[in-house]
Amino acid sequence: MENPFERPLYVMLKPVGATCNLACEYCYYLEKSGLYRRVPNHLMSDSLLERFIEQYIGSQTMRDVMFTWHGGEALLRPLSFYRKAVALQKKHAQGHRISNCLQTNGILLNDEWCRFFKDEDWLIGISIDGPERFHDEYRRSRGGQPTFARVMRGIELLKKHGVEWNGMAVVNDYNGDYPLEFYHFFKDIECRYLQFTPIVERLITDSEYVQLASVASHEASEIADFSVSPRQWGDFLCAIFDEWVRNDVGKYYVQIFDATLANYAGVEPGVCSMARQCGHAGVMEFNGDVYSCDHFVFPEYLLGNIRDTSLAEMMYSPRQAQFGAAKRGSLPRQCLQCRFSTICNGECPKNRFAVTADGEPGLNYLCEGYYRFFEHSAPYMEFMKRELDAERPPANVMDLFKSK
């Protein structure tokens, strides 16, 4: 059994809660502001910031400590807030090596922000859904205006100042039909680290809101139109993989491909959705409330508040351990008997609302697509695993195609 103390404690921070300057149609987090309707100001206080930083660093058993700032839109806090955060990290470092990652839509970036990120060596994640016509389909301002040009301006500023950045793209019903155009776009803008996430959202009523959040809840509900379909997701992955495995291994890093190879090699995949167990990555809201996971910010997954209970107590609590173990423990027989069971691990529990051919609940909605990708990529993943085992670069897989 895995010892939880042999891995870093990880809690994503939401300094402005769900507040955002955009109104992306598919955003799953905007609605979370409804949990705090009676709180007029969704801003983290300076005292709570210091409490979090001190406890977060003090709870770590490893030297490296990664802070992740998320939203909503994290840049709605002024630069002075993050300067204060860095000063507090240095104050409480206790010999730890501190790093920071911030996810943003990029619209508020300017030279001053970028100089700060470069000087402090922050990694910046940019949310962008591919070329202009794909991005602007769903990622619009609160007034309905397109945002692509402003996001690209932010990316150019990051590049101008030499800030390390990566791309985070949502794959939906629209851009999912154009995988190569999508992938070539990111290569054209020199995005060498790319994470793309399939959007799957169910349309539920307010009365169902909490009930359908449960890992064990599999009631049928309507899928939002912008969701990517299982078949579409499989075709999308296979098309991009074919180009990547022939030309780009070791040059461009696609998170799902790296995570798949990691599971073949028997090491942590680096993304929770494909890990064997959940529970080591919590999230803290602006008021100190800590939840089990960013995708499970619902009252039933509230672990407590940092003002009353320490981060370590909450994240290593029996409740959180049970949440983490449920990922593997709730898999249906079809998944457990699947040849790719240890590669997929059922993906994210939030997507497990389908039923198997035998009518058993708990099947991942995207199962068909994932299976197609894993079956398609298996010979190449197995080759790259053998190269790793022999202490040779996985990029040698590209040599397989040179004689063809």
Side-chain angles (χ1 to χ4, degrees), residues 171 175-176 178-184 186-187 194 196 233-248 254 256-257 373 376:
V171 181
N175 61 14
Y178 303 91
L180 293 184
E181 184 177 349
F182 173 95
Y183 183 54
H184 291 159
F186 284 99
K187 291 177 66 173
L194 175 61
F196 41 80
W233 178 235
D235 291 344
F236 178 90
L237 291 177
C238 290
I240 294 179
F241 180 81
D242 284 347
E243 172 142 342
W244 177 81
V245 79
R246 284 171 168 81
N247 305 298
D248 296 331
V254 180
I256 190 171
F257 301 160
F373 165 63
H376 181 78

mmCIF file of all heavy atoms in Angstrom, residues 171 175-176 178-184 186-187 194 196 233-248 254 256-257 373 376:
data_model
loop_
_atom_site.group_PDB
_atom_site.id
_atom_site.type_symbol
_atom_site.label_atom_id
_atom_site.label_comp_id
_atom_site.label_asym_id
_atom_site.label_seq_id
_atom_site.Cartn_x
_atom_site.Cartn_y
_atom_site.Cartn_z
ATOM 1 N N VAL A 171 -10.760 20.425 -24.924
ATOM 2 C CA VAL A 171 -11.232 19.794 -26.164
ATOM 3 C C VAL A 171 -12.746 19.631 -26.047
ATOM 4 O O VAL A 171 -13.247 19.020 -25.103
ATOM 5 C CB VAL A 171 -10.549 18.437 -26.383
ATOM 6 C CG1 VAL A 171 -11.038 17.812 -27.687
ATOM 7 C CG2 VAL A 171 -9.032 18.613 -26.409
ATOM 8 N N ASN A 175 -13.712 21.949 -31.549
ATOM 9 C CA ASN A 175 -12.314 21.753 -31.946
ATOM 10 C C ASN A 175 -11.918 20.278 -31.970
ATOM 11 O O ASN A 175 -10.916 19.908 -32.580
ATOM 12 C CB ASN A 175 -11.361 22.561 -31.053
ATOM 13 C CG ASN A 175 -11.412 22.173 -29.595
ATOM 14 O OD1 ASN A 175 -11.959 21.147 -29.212
ATOM 15 N ND2 ASN A 175 -10.829 23.030 -28.743
ATOM 16 N N GLY A 176 -12.703 19.414 -31.314
ATOM 17 C CA GLY A 176 -12.405 17.995 -31.318
ATOM 18 C C GLY A 176 -12.455 17.351 -32.685
ATOM 19 O O GLY A 176 -11.908 16.261 -32.890
ATOM 20 N N TYR A 178 -11.038 18.676 -35.310
ATOM 21 C CA TYR A 178 -9.903 19.184 -36.100
ATOM 22 C C TYR A 178 -8.585 18.975 -35.336
ATOM 23 O O TYR A 178 -7.873 19.932 -35.039
ATOM 24 C CB TYR A 178 -10.110 20.665 -36.406
ATOM 25 C CG TYR A 178 -11.400 20.963 -37.120
ATOM 26 C CD1 TYR A 178 -12.563 21.267 -36.407
ATOM 27 C CD2 TYR A 178 -11.468 20.924 -38.514
ATOM 28 C CE1 TYR A 178 -13.757 21.525 -37.053
ATOM 29 C CE2 TYR A 178 -12.659 21.191 -39.171
ATOM 30 C CZ TYR A 178 -13.800 21.488 -38.446
ATOM 31 O OH TYR A 178 -14.986 21.755 -39.097
ATOM 32 N N PRO A 179 -8.242 17.732 -35.018
ATOM 33 C CA PRO A 179 -7.080 17.486 -34.162
ATOM 34 C C PRO A 179 -5.762 17.997 -34.723
ATOM 35 O O PRO A 179 -4.950 18.558 -33.980
ATOM 36 C CB PRO A 179 -7.066 15.965 -34.016
ATOM 37 C CG PRO A 179 -7.867 15.445 -35.170
ATOM 38 C CD PRO A 179 -8.909 16.478 -35.419
ATOM 39 N N LEU A 180 -5.521 17.826 -36.009
ATOM 40 C CA LEU A 180 -4.221 18.233 -36.546
ATOM 41 C C LEU A 180 -4.110 19.742 -36.679
ATOM 42 O O LEU A 180 -3.040 20.317 -36.423
ATOM 43 C CB LEU A 180 -3.969 17.546 -37.892
ATOM 44 C CG LEU A 180 -3.790 16.020 -37.800
ATOM 45 C CD1 LEU A 180 -3.441 15.435 -39.158
ATOM 46 C CD2 LEU A 180 -2.721 15.654 -36.776
ATOM 47 N N GLU A 181 -5.180 20.393 -37.066
ATOM 48 C CA GLU A 181 -5.159 21.858 -37.103
ATOM 49 C C GLU A 181 -4.907 22.411 -35.701
ATOM 50 O O GLU A 181 -4.140 23.356 -35.506
ATOM 51 C CB GLU A 181 -6.473 22.398 -37.664
ATOM 52 C CG GLU A 181 -6.494 23.912 -37.824
ATOM 53 C CD GLU A 181 -7.781 24.429 -38.445
ATOM 54 O OE1 GLU A 181 -8.589 23.617 -38.946
ATOM 55 O OE2 GLU A 181 -7.986 25.662 -38.429
ATOM 56 N N PHE A 182 -5.544 21.795 -34.739
ATOM 57 C CA PHE A 182 -5.376 22.147 -33.324
ATOM 58 C C PHE A 182 -3.918 21.961 -32.895
ATOM 59 O O PHE A 182 -3.294 22.875 -32.348
ATOM 60 C CB PHE A 182 -6.319 21.247 -32.519
ATOM 61 C CG PHE A 182 -6.189 21.321 -31.026
ATOM 62 C CD1 PHE A 182 -7.006 22.163 -30.290
ATOM 63 C CD2 PHE A 182 -5.292 20.516 -30.350
ATOM 64 C CE1 PHE A 182 -6.918 22.203 -28.908
ATOM 65 C CE2 PHE A 182 -5.199 20.549 -28.973
ATOM 66 C CZ PHE A 182 -6.016 21.403 -28.254
ATOM 67 N N TYR A 183 -3.355 20.799 -33.164
ATOM 68 C CA TYR A 183 -1.989 20.483 -32.742
ATOM 69 C C TYR A 183 -0.961 21.351 -33.456
ATOM 70 O O TYR A 183 -0.014 21.858 -32.832
ATOM 71 C CB TYR A 183 -1.709 19.005 -33.005
ATOM 72 C CG TYR A 183 -0.348 18.525 -32.545
ATOM 73 C CD1 TYR A 183 0.074 18.717 -31.233
ATOM 74 C CD2 TYR A 183 0.508 17.876 -33.432
ATOM 75 C CE1 TYR A 183 1.316 18.257 -30.805
ATOM 76 C CE2 TYR A 183 1.743 17.414 -33.018
ATOM 77 C CZ TYR A 183 2.141 17.606 -31.703
ATOM 78 O OH TYR A 183 3.387 17.159 -31.299
ATOM 79 N N HIS A 184 -1.135 21.554 -34.757
ATOM 80 C CA HIS A 184 -0.184 22.380 -35.523
ATOM 81 C C HIS A 184 -0.177 23.815 -35.015
ATOM 82 O O HIS A 184 0.867 24.479 -35.025
ATOM 83 C CB HIS A 184 -0.531 22.350 -37.012
ATOM 84 C CG HIS A 184 -0.287 21.009 -37.638
ATOM 85 N ND1 HIS A 184 -0.891 20.623 -38.808
ATOM 86 C CD2 HIS A 184 0.491 19.970 -37.250
ATOM 87 C CE1 HIS A 184 -0.491 19.405 -39.123
ATOM 88 N NE2 HIS A 184 0.335 18.991 -38.186
ATOM 89 N N PHE A 186 -0.475 24.832 -31.920
ATOM 90 C CA PHE A 186 0.379 24.926 -30.740
ATOM 91 C C PHE A 186 1.851 24.802 -31.102
ATOM 92 O O PHE A 186 2.709 25.450 -30.484
ATOM 93 C CB PHE A 186 -0.039 23.883 -29.704
ATOM 94 C CG PHE A 186 -1.295 24.260 -28.974
ATOM 95 C CD1 PHE A 186 -2.518 23.727 -29.350
ATOM 96 C CD2 PHE A 186 -1.262 25.189 -27.951
ATOM 97 C CE1 PHE A 186 -3.678 24.101 -28.695
ATOM 98 C CE2 PHE A 186 -2.424 25.578 -27.291
ATOM 99 C CZ PHE A 186 -3.635 25.034 -27.669
ATOM 100 N N LYS A 187 2.171 24.016 -32.102
ATOM 101 C CA LYS A 187 3.557 23.951 -32.570
ATOM 102 C C LYS A 187 3.967 25.281 -33.198
ATOM 103 O O LYS A 187 5.086 25.753 -32.979
ATOM 104 C CB LYS A 187 3.717 22.803 -33.564
ATOM 105 C CG LYS A 187 3.579 21.423 -32.924
ATOM 106 C CD LYS A 187 3.665 20.307 -33.954
ATOM 107 C CE LYS A 187 5.030 20.212 -34.600
ATOM 108 N NZ LYS A 187 5.140 19.021 -35.481
ATOM 109 N N LEU A 194 2.076 20.888 -23.520
ATOM 110 C CA LEU A 194 0.658 21.041 -23.827
ATOM 111 C C LEU A 194 -0.185 20.052 -23.038
ATOM 112 O O LEU A 194 0.085 18.854 -23.009
ATOM 113 C CB LEU A 194 0.437 20.832 -25.331
ATOM 114 C CG LEU A 194 -1.002 20.839 -25.836
ATOM 115 C CD1 LEU A 194 -1.666 22.176 -25.543
ATOM 116 C CD2 LEU A 194 -1.019 20.550 -27.339
ATOM 117 N N PHE A 196 -4.164 18.973 -22.835
ATOM 118 C CA PHE A 196 -5.528 19.185 -23.307
ATOM 119 C C PHE A 196 -6.475 18.287 -22.537
ATOM 120 O O PHE A 196 -6.209 17.128 -22.255
ATOM 121 C CB PHE A 196 -5.692 19.042 -24.816
ATOM 122 C CG PHE A 196 -4.946 17.928 -25.476
ATOM 123 C CD1 PHE A 196 -5.432 16.626 -25.438
ATOM 124 C CD2 PHE A 196 -3.779 18.178 -26.157
ATOM 125 C CE1 PHE A 196 -4.768 15.604 -26.075
ATOM 126 C CE2 PHE A 196 -3.102 17.154 -26.794
ATOM 127 C CZ PHE A 196 -3.588 15.866 -26.752
ATOM 128 N N TRP A 233 -13.347 11.968 -28.966
ATOM 129 C CA TRP A 233 -12.165 12.049 -28.113
ATOM 130 C C TRP A 233 -11.126 11.002 -28.519
ATOM 131 O O TRP A 233 -9.936 11.300 -28.608
ATOM 132 C CB TRP A 233 -12.588 11.869 -26.656
ATOM 133 C CG TRP A 233 -11.497 11.865 -25.629
ATOM 134 C CD1 TRP A 233 -11.251 10.892 -24.706
ATOM 135 C CD2 TRP A 233 -10.502 12.879 -25.372
ATOM 136 N NE1 TRP A 233 -10.186 11.238 -23.900
ATOM 137 C CE2 TRP A 233 -9.714 12.451 -24.292
ATOM 138 C CE3 TRP A 233 -10.226 14.108 -25.977
ATOM 139 C CZ2 TRP A 233 -8.656 13.198 -23.786
ATOM 140 C CZ3 TRP A 233 -9.161 14.858 -25.480
ATOM 141 C CH2 TRP A 233 -8.393 14.408 -24.401
ATOM 142 N N GLY A 234 -11.561 9.797 -28.804
ATOM 143 C CA GLY A 234 -10.628 8.758 -29.237
ATOM 144 C C GLY A 234 -9.966 9.099 -30.559
ATOM 145 O O GLY A 234 -8.744 8.942 -30.723
ATOM 146 N N ASP A 235 -10.754 9.555 -31.526
ATOM 147 C CA ASP A 235 -10.193 9.924 -32.825
ATOM 148 C C ASP A 235 -9.222 11.094 -32.692
ATOM 149 O O ASP A 235 -8.178 11.134 -33.363
ATOM 150 C CB ASP A 235 -11.320 10.301 -33.791
ATOM 151 C CG ASP A 235 -12.178 9.109 -34.188
ATOM 152 O OD1 ASP A 235 -11.737 7.954 -33.975
ATOM 153 O OD2 ASP A 235 -13.289 9.330 -34.710
ATOM 154 N N PHE A 236 -9.568 12.038 -31.845
ATOM 155 C CA PHE A 236 -8.731 13.216 -31.608
ATOM 156 C C PHE A 236 -7.363 12.784 -31.070
ATOM 157 O O PHE A 236 -6.311 13.201 -31.582
ATOM 158 C CB PHE A 236 -9.450 14.125 -30.611
ATOM 159 C CG PHE A 236 -8.700 15.367 -30.225
ATOM 160 C CD1 PHE A 236 -8.849 16.537 -30.941
ATOM 161 C CD2 PHE A 236 -7.850 15.377 -29.124
ATOM 162 C CE1 PHE A 236 -8.167 17.696 -30.582
ATOM 163 C CE2 PHE A 236 -7.163 16.523 -28.760
ATOM 164 C CZ PHE A 236 -7.323 17.686 -29.484
ATOM 165 N N LEU A 237 -7.353 11.951 -30.046
ATOM 166 C CA LEU A 237 -6.099 11.498 -29.445
ATOM 167 C C LEU A 237 -5.257 10.712 -30.438
ATOM 168 O O LEU A 237 -4.038 10.915 -30.527
ATOM 169 C CB LEU A 237 -6.382 10.644 -28.211
ATOM 170 C CG LEU A 237 -6.964 11.344 -26.985
ATOM 171 C CD1 LEU A 237 -7.258 10.326 -25.887
ATOM 172 C CD2 LEU A 237 -6.025 12.416 -26.473
ATOM 173 N N CYS A 238 -5.883 9.820 -31.169
ATOM 174 C CA CYS A 238 -5.130 8.978 -32.109
ATOM 175 C C CYS A 238 -4.485 9.810 -33.219
ATOM 176 O O CYS A 238 -3.340 9.555 -33.610
ATOM 177 C CB CYS A 238 -6.048 7.914 -32.706
ATOM 178 S SG CYS A 238 -6.558 6.642 -31.527
ATOM 179 N N ALA A 239 -5.220 10.776 -33.746
ATOM 180 C CA ALA A 239 -4.683 11.599 -34.832
ATOM 181 C C ALA A 239 -3.464 12.392 -34.376
ATOM 182 O O ALA A 239 -2.445 12.461 -35.080
ATOM 183 C CB ALA A 239 -5.764 12.534 -35.352
ATOM 184 N N ILE A 240 -3.546 13.014 -33.205
ATOM 185 C CA ILE A 240 -2.407 13.785 -32.706
ATOM 186 C C ILE A 240 -1.262 12.859 -32.323
ATOM 187 O O ILE A 240 -0.082 13.153 -32.598
ATOM 188 C CB ILE A 240 -2.828 14.665 -31.522
ATOM 189 C CG1 ILE A 240 -3.811 15.737 -31.988
ATOM 190 C CG2 ILE A 240 -1.607 15.323 -30.862
ATOM 191 C CD1 ILE A 240 -4.305 16.660 -30.883
ATOM 192 N N PHE A 241 -1.581 11.733 -31.714
ATOM 193 C CA PHE A 241 -0.525 10.791 -31.331
ATOM 194 C C PHE A 241 0.273 10.327 -32.546
ATOM 195 O O PHE A 241 1.503 10.228 -32.488
ATOM 196 C CB PHE A 241 -1.132 9.582 -30.610
ATOM 197 C CG PHE A 241 -0.104 8.566 -30.189
ATOM 198 C CD1 PHE A 241 0.642 8.761 -29.029
ATOM 199 C CD2 PHE A 241 0.145 7.440 -30.961
ATOM 200 C CE1 PHE A 241 1.604 7.837 -28.642
ATOM 201 C CE2 PHE A 241 1.108 6.512 -30.589
ATOM 202 C CZ PHE A 241 1.841 6.707 -29.421
ATOM 203 N N ASP A 242 -0.399 10.046 -33.652
ATOM 204 C CA ASP A 242 0.295 9.566 -34.847
ATOM 205 C C ASP A 242 1.335 10.567 -35.325
ATOM 206 O O ASP A 242 2.435 10.187 -35.764
ATOM 207 C CB ASP A 242 -0.707 9.279 -35.964
ATOM 208 C CG ASP A 242 -1.464 7.982 -35.745
ATOM 209 O OD1 ASP A 242 -1.049 7.189 -34.882
ATOM 210 O OD2 ASP A 242 -2.493 7.768 -36.429
ATOM 211 N N GLU A 243 1.010 11.838 -35.269
ATOM 212 C CA GLU A 243 1.992 12.849 -35.674
ATOM 213 C C GLU A 243 3.089 12.989 -34.629
ATOM 214 O O GLU A 243 4.269 13.093 -34.957
ATOM 215 C CB GLU A 243 1.312 14.195 -35.911
ATOM 216 C CG GLU A 243 2.302 15.323 -36.136
ATOM 217 C CD GLU A 243 1.847 16.330 -37.180
ATOM 218 O OE1 GLU A 243 0.954 16.005 -37.981
ATOM 219 O OE2 GLU A 243 2.400 17.430 -37.182
ATOM 220 N N TRP A 244 2.699 13.005 -33.373
ATOM 221 C CA TRP A 244 3.665 13.177 -32.288
ATOM 222 C C TRP A 244 4.675 12.035 -32.262
ATOM 223 O O TRP A 244 5.887 12.265 -32.142
ATOM 224 C CB TRP A 244 2.907 13.261 -30.965
ATOM 225 C CG TRP A 244 3.768 13.377 -29.746
ATOM 226 C CD1 TRP A 244 4.355 14.505 -29.260
ATOM 227 C CD2 TRP A 244 4.128 12.312 -28.856
ATOM 228 N NE1 TRP A 244 5.067 14.208 -28.105
ATOM 229 C CE2 TRP A 244 4.930 12.881 -27.838
ATOM 230 C CE3 TRP A 244 3.835 10.947 -28.802
ATOM 231 C CZ2 TRP A 244 5.467 12.114 -26.797
ATOM 232 C CZ3 TRP A 244 4.359 10.181 -27.762
ATOM 233 C CH2 TRP A 244 5.169 10.769 -26.784
ATOM 234 N N VAL A 245 4.219 10.801 -32.371
ATOM 235 C CA VAL A 245 5.112 9.654 -32.218
ATOM 236 C C VAL A 245 6.049 9.513 -33.416
ATOM 237 O O VAL A 245 7.114 8.905 -33.319
ATOM 238 C CB VAL A 245 4.292 8.361 -31.991
ATOM 239 C CG1 VAL A 245 3.718 7.805 -33.299
ATOM 240 C CG2 VAL A 245 5.128 7.318 -31.261
ATOM 241 N N ARG A 246 5.687 10.104 -34.529
ATOM 242 C CA ARG A 246 6.545 10.054 -35.718
ATOM 243 C C ARG A 246 7.569 11.195 -35.745
ATOM 244 O O ARG A 246 8.661 11.033 -36.277
ATOM 245 C CB ARG A 246 5.698 10.121 -36.995
ATOM 246 C CG ARG A 246 4.996 8.833 -37.333
ATOM 247 C CD ARG A 246 4.005 9.026 -38.484
ATOM 248 N NE ARG A 246 3.532 7.749 -38.992
ATOM 249 C CZ ARG A 246 2.581 7.028 -38.434
ATOM 250 N NH1 ARG A 246 1.981 7.474 -37.332
ATOM 251 N NH2 ARG A 246 2.218 5.871 -38.955
ATOM 252 N N ASN A 247 7.204 12.341 -35.156
ATOM 253 C CA ASN A 247 8.026 13.535 -35.371
ATOM 254 C C ASN A 247 8.450 14.293 -34.117
ATOM 255 O O ASN A 247 9.449 15.023 -34.162
ATOM 256 C CB ASN A 247 7.260 14.527 -36.260
ATOM 257 C CG ASN A 247 6.805 13.916 -37.561
ATOM 258 O OD1 ASN A 247 7.618 13.492 -38.367
ATOM 259 N ND2 ASN A 247 5.499 13.856 -37.770
ATOM 260 N N ASP A 248 7.727 14.148 -33.015
ATOM 261 C CA ASP A 248 7.867 15.142 -31.950
ATOM 262 C C ASP A 248 8.224 14.603 -30.570
ATOM 263 O O ASP A 248 8.252 15.370 -29.600
ATOM 264 C CB ASP A 248 6.552 15.937 -31.824
ATOM 265 C CG ASP A 248 6.239 16.730 -33.077
ATOM 266 O OD1 ASP A 248 7.191 17.130 -33.770
ATOM 267 O OD2 ASP A 248 5.039 16.938 -33.364
ATOM 268 N N VAL A 254 3.232 16.326 -24.595
ATOM 269 C CA VAL A 254 1.782 16.292 -24.478
ATOM 270 C C VAL A 254 1.448 15.492 -23.232
ATOM 271 O O VAL A 254 1.790 14.316 -23.124
ATOM 272 C CB VAL A 254 1.135 15.666 -25.727
ATOM 273 C CG1 VAL A 254 -0.385 15.640 -25.591
ATOM 274 C CG2 VAL A 254 1.556 16.430 -26.988
ATOM 275 N N ILE A 256 -1.031 13.930 -21.748
ATOM 276 C CA ILE A 256 -1.680 12.632 -21.714
ATOM 277 C C ILE A 256 -0.791 11.538 -22.291
ATOM 278 O O ILE A 256 -0.821 10.385 -21.833
ATOM 279 C CB ILE A 256 -3.047 12.652 -22.421
ATOM 280 C CG1 ILE A 256 -3.790 11.346 -22.146
ATOM 281 C CG2 ILE A 256 -2.903 12.940 -23.897
ATOM 282 C CD1 ILE A 256 -5.219 11.334 -22.613
ATOM 283 N N PHE A 257 0.054 11.870 -23.257
ATOM 284 C CA PHE A 257 0.979 10.879 -23.799
ATOM 285 C C PHE A 257 2.067 10.555 -22.773
ATOM 286 O O PHE A 257 2.436 9.391 -22.580
ATOM 287 C CB PHE A 257 1.611 11.382 -25.098
ATOM 288 C CG PHE A 257 0.624 11.713 -26.179
ATOM 289 C CD1 PHE A 257 0.979 12.550 -27.236
ATOM 290 C CD2 PHE A 257 -0.665 11.195 -26.165
ATOM 291 C CE1 PHE A 257 0.075 12.865 -28.243
ATOM 292 C CE2 PHE A 257 -1.581 11.501 -27.165
ATOM 293 C CZ PHE A 257 -1.202 12.340 -28.206
ATOM 294 N N PHE A 373 -7.766 4.942 -28.015
ATOM 295 C CA PHE A 373 -6.431 5.527 -27.963
ATOM 296 C C PHE A 373 -5.413 4.553 -27.366
ATOM 297 O O PHE A 373 -4.318 4.383 -27.907
ATOM 298 C CB PHE A 373 -6.444 6.813 -27.142
ATOM 299 C CG PHE A 373 -5.074 7.283 -26.737
ATOM 300 C CD1 PHE A 373 -4.142 7.660 -27.690
ATOM 301 C CD2 PHE A 373 -4.700 7.315 -25.401
ATOM 302 C CE1 PHE A 373 -2.859 8.073 -27.321
ATOM 303 C CE2 PHE A 373 -3.432 7.728 -25.029
ATOM 304 C CZ PHE A 373 -2.514 8.106 -25.990
ATOM 305 N N HIS A 376 -4.651 1.807 -29.841
ATOM 306 C CA HIS A 376 -3.907 2.343 -30.970
ATOM 307 C C HIS A 376 -2.446 2.628 -30.617
ATOM 308 O O HIS A 376 -1.535 2.358 -31.408
ATOM 309 C CB HIS A 376 -4.591 3.631 -31.449
ATOM 310 C CG HIS A 376 -3.934 4.283 -32.620
ATOM 311 N ND1 HIS A 376 -4.086 3.845 -33.920
ATOM 312 C CD2 HIS A 376 -3.097 5.361 -32.689
ATOM 313 C CE1 HIS A 376 -3.386 4.615 -34.737
ATOM 314 N NE2 HIS A 376 -2.785 5.545 -34.023
#
